[in-house]
Amino acid sequence: MKKHEIRKTLLGILFVTIGGVLSLVHAVPFNGCPDFMDITASYVECYSGMTDHPFDSLGLSPNRHHLNEEQGYDPRTGDKLKLIPDGEEKSIRLGNNQIGGESEAIVYHYIVDPDNSLLCVNFAVVMEDPGHEFAFQPRFVIRVTDKNGKLVNDCSVYDVTAAAGLEGFQDFSYSEGGEYHVVRWRDWSKIGLDLTPFIGQEVQVQFITYDCFLFGHYGYAYFTASCAPNKLSLDVCEGASYSLAAPEGFPSYRWDNGDTSRISTRTYQGGEANIFCEITSATGCQFIQSAYVSDAYSPEETDILDTICQGESYHRHNFNLPPQMSVGTFGFN
């Protein structure tokens, strides 16, 4: 077996018991996109336990489920990892730098919103590397399941342990209390998961951290999460030229015309077109966003009916109008 195949097998065994425990607890699912930073909400379950049973005790433990509201740097990364990623105001730290075979989990229950069916997770990981076999190392797991604990698809799990040479990880070593520590840490990285097939259904988003299974080394993680529309956005539209934008922060993009940047600029050729962009997450999994482009009017028409929001300019159909301050229906020549 290859290493990644072994990991998947171990993960399947590990969560047989955990899935059963989760099904016994019934949080109130949030209808729509939840606030992932509110870990006291009724749709959130916080758990503490040991590495062989992360879901042993239900309830928030402040030192193990922590909300960061002030920017700073993690000293166990050589003060290189920001506690809160750029563009965010808060983050959650799950776990801590204490040892003893501890494990923590946070589970969010919500009903997928049709207008915001893309789940975006931003995470960072700090783990000691004692050099044990894979199954005994500190680790961090993200899982997205249905309400019964079943994974929603093959890319809905991220499972990583501390180890040398992992892509995307950095090394830092330090001495403390007469002991030498080797840390593997990963800077803020994004995962996107398309939950469109689950619109109107309950899903669970689970974050789980594990110390070393032999009780002598720690592992913890930081994360933020949000929902977004699963469609490309219009970035610029001027004359026959327009640009579509995919969400920021992902490792790679591949458009249907071969573009590999986040923004793809096109020339409108008439008629209609379906445009696609394949986006790769930090875990190596892909999801696809799309857009439909067509004429908003017929060339024979002399009247164009469109909406201009107050305070916005208008650059369509050969019009270049400054910001509009008056409210009403007007003609422009």
Side-chain angles (χ1 to χ4, degrees), residues 111-333:
I111 297 172
V112 179
D113 184 346
D115 296 323
N116 291 282
S117 59
L118 177 65
L119 172 65
C120 298
V121 176
N122 204 359
F123 71 94
V125 179
V126 182
M127 296 181 290
E128 280 193 285
D129 180 12
H132 299 324
E133 293 181 10
F134 168 81
F136 302 109
Q137 289 277 76
R139 68 196 297 180
F140 173 57
V141 177
I142 303 173
R143 302 176 80 234
V144 182
T145 76
D146 63 17
K147 66 179 181 180
N148 298 314
K150 181 181 179 181
L151 293 175
V152 298
N153 61 42
D154 291 341
C155 280
S156 61
V157 59
Y158 174 69
D159 176 32
V160 65
T161 66
L166 288 178
E167 184 178 355
F169 278 73
Q170 302 180 52
D171 300 341
F172 179 71
S173 301
Y174 67 96
S175 295
E176 185 177 77
E179 295 186 0
Y180 187 69
H181 302 263
V182 177
V183 172
R184 314 292 181 191
W185 66 279
R186 179 166 190 155
D187 208 346
W188 290 98
S189 306
K190 283 193 176 182
I191 299 174
L193 185 64
D194 178 15
L195 298 180
T196 301
F198 300 90
I199 286 175
Q201 300 179 42
E202 180 184 344
V203 295
Q204 300 180 30
V205 182
Q206 307 169 7
F207 299 89
I208 312 163
T209 50
Y210 299 82
D211 285 349
C212 158
F213 271 69
L214 301 181
F215 290 75
H217 303 84
Y218 61 78
Y220 59 92
Y222 300 92
F223 69 87
T224 68
S226 61
C227 308
N230 190 23
K231 56 186 177 182
L232 300 166
S233 60
L234 182 65
D235 186 60
V236 175
C237 185
E238 295 180 348
S241 177
Y242 64 94
S243 297
L244 294 170
E248 293 184 87
F250 289 92
S252 68
Y253 307 87
R254 182 169 296 278
W255 295 79
D256 52 5
N257 67 348
D259 286 349
T260 56
S261 59
R262 186 180 71 86
I263 296 175
S264 179
T265 299
R266 314 289 179 104
T267 299
Y268 183 62
Q269 303 293 337
E272 57 186 33
N274 287 294
I275 298 174
F276 301 91
C277 181
E278 181 184 75
I279 303 169
T280 301
S281 294
T283 57
C285 286
Q286 289 86 30
F287 63 98
I288 294 176
Q289 290 195 320
S290 63
Y292 171 75
V293 177
S294 69
D295 277 324
Y297 68 102
S298 169
E300 290 77 23
E301 291 177 344
T302 55
D303 294 326
I304 300 170
L305 301 179
D306 213 338
T307 300
I308 308 175
C309 295
Q310 189 174 17
E312 290 187 358
S313 56
Y314 186 84
H315 304 284
R316 296 183 65 189
H317 312 311
N318 297 316
F319 287 100
N320 288 287
L321 305 178
Q324 302 297 299
M325 296 304 169
S326 300
V327 177
T329 301
F330 306 96
F332 298 97
N333 298 316

